[in-house]
Amino acid sequence: MLERFIINGLDMVNVIYLWTVLMKKNHEIAKFLSSVIITSILITIIERLNLNTAITYLMIIIVIKIIYKVYLKEIILGFFMTLLIEMSLQLILFLVIDKFVYDDTIMIIVTELAILVSIIIFSKSNFSRAITFKSIDNNILIYFVSTCSIYAIIFKIIWNYDKKIILNNLFITAVILSILVVSQILTYVYIVKVAKEKETLKISNEYNSVIGEIVQEIKRRQHDFVNYKNTIRGIVEVVDDKDVKSAINSYMKDEDVYDNEINELIYINNIVIISILYRYIGKAKKYNINFKYNIENDVLDANLSYHEISNVLNNLLNNAFEEVIKEQCINKNIEIKIFNEKNTSHLIVKNQITNSNDLNLNEMFKRGYSTKHTDNRGYGLYNVQQIIDSHKGHIKLKVEYGEIIFDIYFNNS
């Protein structure tokens, strides 16, 4: 029984580790080890009781669901895809290792260790970043889930019924299964790529109207420049010399701040960031909020799609504005920075808060958490966390000097 537990443990290390790589989950050691240990114990018990293979798969899916707390459809798709990939690797390695190792137990252990090394190398490669398993249309998702599960279950049934059928035709079986796995992955990746392109086009079209507003705003300011010049000339002519400077400063003060904020937008080359900032600049002016931004170009584009940038920025800024608009908030300050530093891309949003005691930093990114105590709230930051995790990013959250600071960063080295 100990031998089976060790073999099952190695198998679960590979399955769950590959699943976390494909699903872009941050490798949290506690979650990973607990899921491996629990699934290994359950599989060993199920094998001892000679229960159906379907029960084994069901138990693994339930354990991953409970520990990693992700959507069931994502788990099922990722699990069966992972299972198919591991089966293919096992067959291919069996072809090689079988020529040098004759003990079945040692051969299985060596195979599992070789697969683990392959997964580690894959996880560190750029190719792993190119494979993105994201939520797509439910009908397409159901197709992939059913196809992958059918392949995996049929293969397992044949193995359990008479493994000699596979072992005696190892090369052909390995080739067929590998082709099925590669075709499914490539088809899925292609569909996701097309969906992302459509999504990007939709976002671009949505924000084009805002860009049009900005262009009209700049044209209006060019037209108003003549009026400003005439007004200043009038001030110079009618105001005493000693009061001219203060009079002109007073006249230009409010417009200068707003003008500079609008003018700086034209140097940003991301249409989504421009549009979002433009909207919040107007909102800041309406509520007399000190809204500052400092944006470097081409920082987030390699990590996030247009839709994801929109989702992340809007959620963070919406929360920030909701907080500083409160009457209790005295210092109405919001600041956003996007920059690169030492091969790391940063998105920082910070704002004043009214009462830090209302915040639970350990719970903020959990689904349903909200300080507003109302229904249908508390999903914004959870969605932000899911997006950042899917790209192996990190979120550092801290409160200091009456400000809450979100630092989202991606290591690009």
Side-chain angles (χ1 to χ4, degrees):
M1 191 169 180
L2 179 61
E3 179 183 299
R4 288 307 307 166
F5 175 75
I6 293 172
I7 292 173
N8 289 332
L10 287 171
D11 191 46
M12 282 299 98
V13 166
N14 291 336
V15 169
I16 296 174
Y17 183 42
L18 182 56
W19 178 83
T20 60
V21 171
L22 292 176
M23 304 307 292
K24 303 294 188 294
K25 301 296 176 185
N26 285 329
H27 303 305
E28 298 179 41
I29 299 299
K31 287 184 178 181
F32 177 71
L33 290 179
S34 58
S35 58
V36 167
I37 292 170
I38 293 171
T39 52
S40 301
I41 293 171
L42 290 174
I43 292 171
T44 305
I45 293 172
I46 290 169
E47 287 179 347
R48 191 77 173 175
L49 297 174
N50 292 319
L51 297 178
N52 194 286
T53 303
I55 297 175
T56 302
Y57 293 160
L58 182 62
M59 287 297 102
I60 296 171
I61 290 169
I62 290 173
V63 170
I64 294 175
K65 166 67 177 172
I66 292 171
I67 293 177
Y68 281 92
K69 297 177 181 178
V70 294
Y71 293 113
L72 190 60
K73 61 183 181 181
E74 292 182 13
I75 297 174
I76 295 173
L77 175 63
F79 172 70
F80 283 110
M81 184 66 78
T82 299
L83 212 58
L84 283 176
I85 293 171
E86 201 206 8
M87 286 176 178
S88 300
L89 290 173
Q90 285 174 341
L91 290 177
I92 293 169
L93 289 170
F94 278 160
L95 286 170
V96 179
I97 296 172
D98 187 49
K99 299 181 184 300
F100 306 98
V101 179
Y102 303 101
D103 183 87
D104 288 346
T105 302
I106 294 175
M107 184 168 71
I108 292 172
I109 293 174
V110 171
T111 301
E112 294 293 350
L113 291 174
I115 291 173
L116 178 59
V117 172
S118 301
I119 296 171
I120 292 172
I121 294 171
F122 170 73
S123 68
K124 304 300 181 183
S125 69
N126 291 329
F127 185 63
S128 67
R129 295 184 181 183
I131 299 178
T132 305
F133 290 86
K134 291 179 177 289
S135 298
I136 54 175
D137 181 82
N138 282 333
N139 293 328
I140 299 175
L141 195 61
I142 290 170
Y143 162 75
F144 278 107
V145 169
S146 58
T147 303
C148 292
S149 59
I150 288 170
Y151 290 160
I153 290 170
I154 289 175
F155 181 84
K156 196 69 175 178
I157 289 172
I158 295 172
W159 180 267
N160 291 339
Y161 175 73
D162 187 358
K163 64 178 69 175
K164 289 183 179 179
I165 297 174
I166 294 173
L167 294 176
N168 292 338
N169 302 278
L170 201 55
F171 179 76
I172 297 297
T173 307
V175 170
I176 292 173
L177 191 59
S178 298
I179 291 172
L180 291 174
V181 170
V182 171
S183 64
Q184 288 299 307
I185 291 175
L186 292 178
T187 304
Y188 189 92
V189 169
Y190 174 75
I191 290 175
V192 170
K193 181 182 177 183
V194 171
K196 284 179 68 177
E197 288 175 352
K198 288 183 178 179
E199 195 175 70
T200 300
L201 182 61
K202 181 181 177 182
I203 293 289
S204 296
N205 291 335
E206 178 183 335
Y207 285 116
N208 274 339
S209 59
V210 181
I211 297 299
E213 289 180 30
I214 296 173
V215 171
Q216 293 302 318
E217 180 77 13
I218 293 172
K219 286 181 178 179
R220 182 185 69 79
R221 293 182 183 284
Q222 289 176 336
H223 176 75
D224 288 345
F225 178 74
V226 176
N227 295 331
Y228 294 154
K229 185 174 67 173
N230 291 334
T231 303
I232 292 171
R233 183 182 291 116
I235 291 174
V236 172
E237 290 175 355
V238 302
V239 176
D240 292 340
D241 290 348
K242 59 184 177 63
D243 298 323
V244 167
K245 183 177 179 180
S246 61
I248 292 176
N249 284 338
S250 178
Y251 170 70
M252 296 296 295
K253 184 178 179 181
D254 293 335
E255 289 297 334
D256 275 349
V257 174
Y258 187 61
D259 282 353
N260 287 336
E261 289 173 344
I262 296 296
N263 292 337
E264 289 297 320
L265 289 177
I266 64 175
Y267 298 105
I268 301 173
N269 61 16
N270 186 299
I271 185 175
V272 174
I273 296 176
I274 292 174
S275 304
I276 292 171
L277 290 177
Y278 176 71
R279 288 176 175 174
Y280 280 103
I281 287 171
K283 191 172 184 179
K285 186 178 182 183
K286 178 181 178 182
Y287 290 100
N288 197 27
I289 294 169
N290 180 26
F291 180 49
K292 295 180 180 179
Y293 65 87
N294 188 354
I295 311 296
E296 288 184 14
N297 285 320
D298 305 319
V299 174
L300 300 177
D301 302 65
N303 302 106
L304 302 174
S305 68
Y306 275 6
H307 176 72
E308 290 167 333
I309 291 174
S310 174
N311 199 322
V312 171
L313 271 183
N314 275 313
N315 275 306
L316 293 177
L317 288 176
N318 186 58
N319 286 348
F321 272 81
E322 283 188 355
E323 181 67 19
V324 300
I325 284 173
K326 294 177 181 177
E327 291 183 6
Q328 306 96 300
C329 187
I330 299 172
N331 299 315
K332 299 182 181 295
N333 300 320
I334 298 175
E335 186 174 359
I336 174 173
K337 295 180 181 179
I338 298 176
F339 60 95
N340 274 319
E341 185 178 69
K342 297 179 180 177
N343 290 322
T344 302
S345 303
H346 287 269
L347 162 61
I348 295 178
V349 175
K350 60 182 178 180
N351 62 272
Q352 296 294 135
I353 51 177
T354 55
N355 186 0
S356 60
N357 294 326
D358 288 341
L359 302 176
N360 187 338
L361 300 186
N362 295 322
E363 302 286 330
M364 285 189 74
F365 291 97
K366 290 189 176 180
R367 182 164 46 189
Y369 173 83
S370 176
T371 59
K372 303 172 185 72
H373 309 295
T374 56
D375 295 333
N376 301 319
R377 303 304 293 265
Y379 289 88
L381 290 180
Y382 171 78
N383 291 336
V384 169
Q385 178 83 71
Q386 296 302 303
I387 291 170
I388 302 308
D389 284 350
S390 71
H391 294 282
K392 297 184 179 180
H394 306 274
I395 302 178
K396 186 189 296 182
L397 180 62
K398 62 181 178 180
V399 175
E400 61 181 21
Y401 305 115
E403 288 184 326
I404 185 167
I405 303 171
F406 293 87
D407 182 3
I408 296 173
Y409 60 96
F410 302 91
N411 189 344
N412 301 318
S413 59

